[in-house]
Amino acid sequence: MKPNRRPANPCFSSGPCAKRPGWSPSVLEGALAGRSHRSPVGLARLVEVIERSRTILGIPTDWRVGIVAGSDTGAIEIAMWSLLGARGVDMLAWENFGEGWVTDVEQLNLPDVRVLRAPYGRLPDLSEVDPARDVVFTWNGTTSGVRVPNGDWIAADRKGLAICDATSAVFAMRLPWDKLDVAASTGSLRARRRAS
C-alpha cells in the first residue's frame, strides 16, 4: 500500500540526510579523526560500537558482528564473494539495490544463479525461493519503500544461506535473526554459525 503521509522533514531521503535535531559540530569532540583503527583507543572504540550495536539491535550472542570497509555495499560483497558458490543461489530484485546485487553476483560467474524479479515497488513471489539454495535479498527497498513482510517465507530447515541487505531495516524494524544467516547494514556485517 502506498503511504498517505510524507515525512515531516523535507530533507528525508535515501541519500545524504538532514542532521538529527540538536546536532552541532561539538558532537565531534573526542572523535578519533586521524587515528588508526589499530591503535589501542581505535580498537577500543570499535569494540564499544560493536557491543552497543549488538545490544541495541538485539542480535543474538551466537552471531558475530564486525565493522567492514565500504559501507553496506562492501559488507554484502564480502558475504557474496566469500560464501556463494557451494550451491545454487536465488537473487531477489525489485528495486535498485537488489538489482545491484544481481549485477555484482554476475561477476562471480557462478554456475547456478536464478534471478527472481518483480517490477519496481512490488515484491517477487517469495514462495518461489528454494530453501535448498542460497538467497540474497534486500529486506527493505530503500528507494522503493517496499519490504518483505516478515521472515515466514524463509524456511527454518533451509539448506541454503539467507544473506540479507538490512541497511534500511536494521534500525527501523525487528528482524527475525533466526531466519537470517548474514545481515549487512551500513559499515557492518553480521553472521551466525549454523550446524550445517
Side-chain angles (χ1 to χ4, degrees), residues 86-184:
R87 61 187 66 79
V89 61
D90 287 346
M91 302 292 297
L92 304 185
W94 68 88
E95 45 77 58
N96 62 311
F97 287 99
E99 288 292 345
W101 306 140
V102 169
T103 299
D104 282 359
V105 87
E106 289 170 353
Q107 297 175 26
L108 293 173
N109 295 317
L110 299 175
D112 187 9
V113 175
R114 187 170 67 144
V115 180
L116 304 175
R117 280 191 171 89
Y120 189 87
R122 302 229 186 254
L123 286 175
D125 183 352
L126 299 176
S127 69
E128 291 182 20
V129 173
D130 184 345
R133 302 165 64 84
D134 295 331
V135 61
V136 178
F137 67 101
T138 304
W139 190 276
N140 183 35
T142 306
T143 56
S144 71
V146 175
R147 69 177 179 92
V148 294
N150 53 49
D152 295 350
W153 59 277
I154 303 170
D157 61 348
R158 65 193 174 280
K159 300 290 184 235
L161 297 172
I163 300 173
C164 177
D165 171 353
T167 286
S168 294
V170 75
F171 285 104
M173 55 198 73
R174 293 189 188 279
L175 296 178
W177 298 110
D178 61 321
K179 295 294 187 88
L180 304 175
D181 298 296
V182 175

Side-chain angles (χ1 to χ4, degrees), residues 46 66-76 78 184-190:
L46 285 172
I67 296 175
V68 300
S71 188
D72 175 63
T73 302
I76 288 290
I78 287 169
S185 63
T186 301
S188 64
L189 182 66
R190 299 158 185 89

